[in-house]
Amino acid sequence: NKSEKLVYKILLSEGFLVEKAVKTAWNRNDLFSLWDFIAVRKDKIRFVQVSSIYLSEGSHAGEDFKGFPCPPENCTKEFWRWDKKKKDFIVKIL
């Protein structure tokens, strides 16, 4: 989708290597069934979900995202939502 493509370009412009899941019969097109992207740079790892809805409106209200293991240093779990009014992303670090 358009938002995912934009986030992908943003992450690349920040110097990250970005991996996106490949759609298969057994995968719903997300990495670990949660993340749209894993972005890696020598100093940081970012797990990123892109959405047009609020996190609280999701099927699990963000609990699966919050429970996903992530080292406390140099690793973030991020929920990016496009804000139509601001015409920019609102990024929530989980």
Side-chain angles (χ1 to χ4, degrees):
N1 77 30
K2 187 177 176 181
S3 294
E4 286 181 14
K5 289 178 184 177
L6 185 53
V7 171
Y8 182 83
K9 289 179 182 180
I10 291 169
L11 294 169
L12 285 177
S13 74
E14 293 177 359
F16 286 90
L17 296 173
V18 184
E19 184 70 24
K20 180 166 176 51
V22 176
K23 188 174 185 176
T24 65
W26 53 269
N27 184 353
R28 66 177 210 197
N29 205 29
D30 285 341
L31 298 157
F32 298 104
S33 298
L34 290 172
W35 309 107
D36 291 315
F37 304 110
I38 296 177
V40 180
R41 197 171 59 192
K42 67 180 179 178
D43 62 332
K44 190 170 188 175
I45 298 173
R46 298 165 79 176
F47 294 95
V48 178
Q49 174 58 253
V50 182
S51 184
S52 59
I53 63 171
Y54 289 89
L55 182 61
S56 61
E57 296 172 336
S59 59
H60 300 288
E63 293 307 312
D64 291 342
F65 298 110
K66 291 175 185 172
F68 187 82
C70 184
E73 292 184 24
N74 303 323
C75 180
T76 56
K77 299 178 286 185
E78 304 175 11
F79 190 84
W80 292 51
R81 183 181 60 81
W82 181 253
D83 187 311
K84 292 178 186 177
K85 291 179 183 176
K86 294 181 180 179
K87 296 185 179 180
D88 197 4
F89 288 99
I90 295 172
V91 179
K92 180 174 181 154
I93 305 296
L94 307 174

